[in-house]
């Protein structure tokens, strides 16, 4: 870890020039004392870093100092810089490692590419925190100690013991065979098996984790994308799911599809409206989704859903009747 930090320190000085010990400490997420020790180690190793005293002082490298890193062409570096703008690394506890990697990517570019690649990356935005309707994506907080332990078990192929708080249940310890990690819309998930049965755990509900020395019972190779699709299908079709037949204005079709779990069938009516058979997570989800569409959608079945929406509309009408 110290070797990586020393490389990151050198790259910071190369890319940003003179920096104070406090600034370096913040960037590297260490103490100022650690930065001073690292500076001494670099000097002893022959890296030409020097200190400037005074109000605007700090540490800097002698002009012309170069590091030896693998070269990248412009498009390769741009692709990595754009990928680095995504927040998936935060869900897996790799935020600081990503920042260090991005510094190395920029430093690996030839001088003629560096300015154009970083400038181009600034003109591309991937997954902003809010959409056009100002709906904010709120990432889930997972302690680094927890996600690091999970990540180690996944990579090492070891069994994992987790203290898991399932919804509406008392937290309890479980021993699982980890398969992989997935992040979807700022939420992280652990894919695992227990006695051969598929299990999916939300990382934000893992209260503690412990990598075990025993090897995990899992296949050598895994197609995570396929595994996630299969588990998503199981989630949408299992439990207390609700299926409804809905007539919807074509202009609001996408709004309905985005809120539903799945579309099972679709056809056009003679009047131009669309008739969709859609599934929802439960009754509350179905009522909420159809209420958002007001008169642009009509639930044809089940009858309880029609009754619920009618009663809700009547209550609103009574409230604003006078």
């Amino acid at each position: 870890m110290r070797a990586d930090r020393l490389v990151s320190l050198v790259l910071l000085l190369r890319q940003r020039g003179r920096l104070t010990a406090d600034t370096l400490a913040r960037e590297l997420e260490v103490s100022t004392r650690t930065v001073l020790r690292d500076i001494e180690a670099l000097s002893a190793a022959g890296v030409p870093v020097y200190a400037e005293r005074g109000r605007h002082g700090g540490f800097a490298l002698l002009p012309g100092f170069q590091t030896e890193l693998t070269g990248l062409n412009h498009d390769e570096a741009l692709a990595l810089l754009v990928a680095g703008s995504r927040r998936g690394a935060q869900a897996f506890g790799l935020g600081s490692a990503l920042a260090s990697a991005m510094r190395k990517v920029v430093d690996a570019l030839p001088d003629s590419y560096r300015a154009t690649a970083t400038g181009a990356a600034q003109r591309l935005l991937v997954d902003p925190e809010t959409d056009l309707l100002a709906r904010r994506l709120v990432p889930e907080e997972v302690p680094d100690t927890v996600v690091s332990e999970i990540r180690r078990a996944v990579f090492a192929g070891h069994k994992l013991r987790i203290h898991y708080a399932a919804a509406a249940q008392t937290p309890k310890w479980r021993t699982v065979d980890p398969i992989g990690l997935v992040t979807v819309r700022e939420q992280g998930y652990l894919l695992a098996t227990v006695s051969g049965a598929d299990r999916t755990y939300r990382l934000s509900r893992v209260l503690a984790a412990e990598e075990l020395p025993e090897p995990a019972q899992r296949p050598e190779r895994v197609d995570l994308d396929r595994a996630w699709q299969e588990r998503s299908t199981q989630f949408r079709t299992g439990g207390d799911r609700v299926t409804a037949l809905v007539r919807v204005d074509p202009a609001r079709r996408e709004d309905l599809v985005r809120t539903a779990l799945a579309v099972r069938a679709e056809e056009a009516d003679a009047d131009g409206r669309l008739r969709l058979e859609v599934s929802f997570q439960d009754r509350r989800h179905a009522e909420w989704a159809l209420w958002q569409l007001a008169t642009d959608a009509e639930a044809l079945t089940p009858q309880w859903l029609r009754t619920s929406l009618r009663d809700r509309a009547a209550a609103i009408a009574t409230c604003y009747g006078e």
Side-chain angles (χ1 to χ4, degrees), residues 110-167:
D111 291 340
S112 58
Y113 286 170
R114 188 175 299 125
T116 55
T118 53
Q122 291 173 359
R123 298 182 182 274
L124 299 172
L125 177 62
V126 182
D127 287 343
E129 291 187 357
T130 60
D131 61 15
L132 287 175
L133 298 179
R135 292 174 298 196
R136 185 177 181 84
L137 292 174
V138 181
E140 296 183 330
E141 296 294 332
V142 184
D144 287 345
T145 53
V146 171
V147 73
S148 295
E149 196 75 8
I150 294 173
R151 194 174 65 242
R152 281 195 295 269
V154 169
F155 293 162
H158 290 168
K159 286 184 178 291
L160 180 68
R161 189 165 175 259
I162 58 175
H163 194 212
Y164 191 72

Side-chain angles (χ1 to χ4, degrees), residues 23-322:
T23 299
L24 288 168
R26 285 196 302 271
E27 291 286 343
L28 299 173
E29 299 180 354
V30 296
S31 67
T32 303
R33 180 174 296 181
T34 297
V35 168
L36 296 176
R37 285 200 301 264
D38 288 348
I39 293 291
E40 291 180 2
L42 289 172
S43 297
V47 177
V49 58
Y50 66 96
E52 289 190 0
R53 308 294 180 185
R55 180 179 178 184
H56 301 291
F59 295 99
L61 295 169
L62 288 177
F65 176 74
Q66 297 289 329
T67 55
E68 294 295 331
L69 293 174
T70 301
L72 299 172
N73 65 36
H74 178 274
D75 287 346
E76 290 171 340
L78 179 59
L80 289 174
L81 289 171
V82 171
S85 69
R86 302 178 71 91
R87 294 185 295 276
Q90 303 295 336
F92 298 146
L94 295 170
S96 58
L98 176 62
S100 175
M102 289 303 100
R103 286 194 291 269
K104 294 177 183 179
V105 168
V106 172
D107 193 80
L109 286 173
D111 291 340
S112 58
Y113 286 170
R114 188 175 299 125
T116 55
T118 53
Q122 291 173 359
R123 298 182 182 274
L124 299 172
L125 177 62
V126 182
D127 287 343
E129 291 187 357
T130 60
D131 61 15
L132 287 175
L133 298 179
R135 292 174 298 196
R136 185 177 181 84
L137 292 174
V138 181
E140 296 183 330
E141 296 294 332
V142 184
D144 287 345
T145 53
V146 171
V147 73
S148 295
E149 196 75 8
I150 294 173
R151 194 174 65 242
R152 281 195 295 269
V154 169
F155 293 162
H158 290 168
K159 286 184 178 291
L160 180 68
R161 189 165 175 259
I162 58 175
H163 194 212
Y164 191 72
Q169 295 183 23
T170 302
K172 65 179 182 179
W173 286 96
R174 309 159 189 249
T175 299
V176 305
D177 296 304
I179 300 297
L181 292 166
V182 177
T183 178
V184 181
R185 296 181 182 177
E186 304 302 307
Q187 295 176 355
Y189 297 89
L190 167 67
L191 273 57
T193 61
V194 176
S195 300
D198 290 344
R199 296 289 186 271
T200 303
Y201 301 99
R202 199 157 165 170
L203 293 185
S204 61
R205 293 177 179 166
V206 180
L207 306 179
E210 177 187 1
E211 178 190 2
L212 301 178
E214 298 93 338
Q217 301 300 311
R218 66 181 192 181
E220 287 293 325
R221 306 177 76 81
V222 63
D223 185 341
L224 269 188
D225 185 61
R226 180 178 178 181
W228 179 255
Q229 293 298 331
E230 291 174 350
R231 297 188 187 201
S232 297
T233 300
Q234 293 172 4
F235 176 80
R236 290 194 300 267
T237 58
D240 299 326
R241 304 295 178 258
V242 168
T243 300
L245 185 60
V246 180
R247 268 172 42 90
V248 62
D249 186 321
R252 303 299 302 277
R253 178 191 179 279
E254 292 305 314
D255 294 328
L256 174 62
V257 170
R258 274 198 299 270
T259 56
L261 288 179
V263 177
R264 298 173 177 270
E266 179 176 350
E267 63 181 11
D269 277 352
D271 62 358
R273 285 211 162 194
L274 301 175
R275 187 176 294 231
L276 277 70
E277 184 180 353
V278 291
S279 61
F280 299 98
Q281 186 170 342
D282 50 29
R283 290 192 170 207
R284 184 178 178 183
H285 182 201
E287 293 172 7
W288 174 85
L290 271 296
W291 183 257
Q292 309 306 307
L293 298 175
T295 58
D296 289 330
E298 177 189 0
L300 302 178
T301 61
Q303 183 58 45
W304 65 260
L305 181 55
R306 291 178 59 87
T307 301
S308 174
L309 293 170
R310 182 199 61 202
D311 292 347
R312 181 182 291 196
I316 291 290
T318 300
C319 179
Y320 289 100
E322 295 297 330

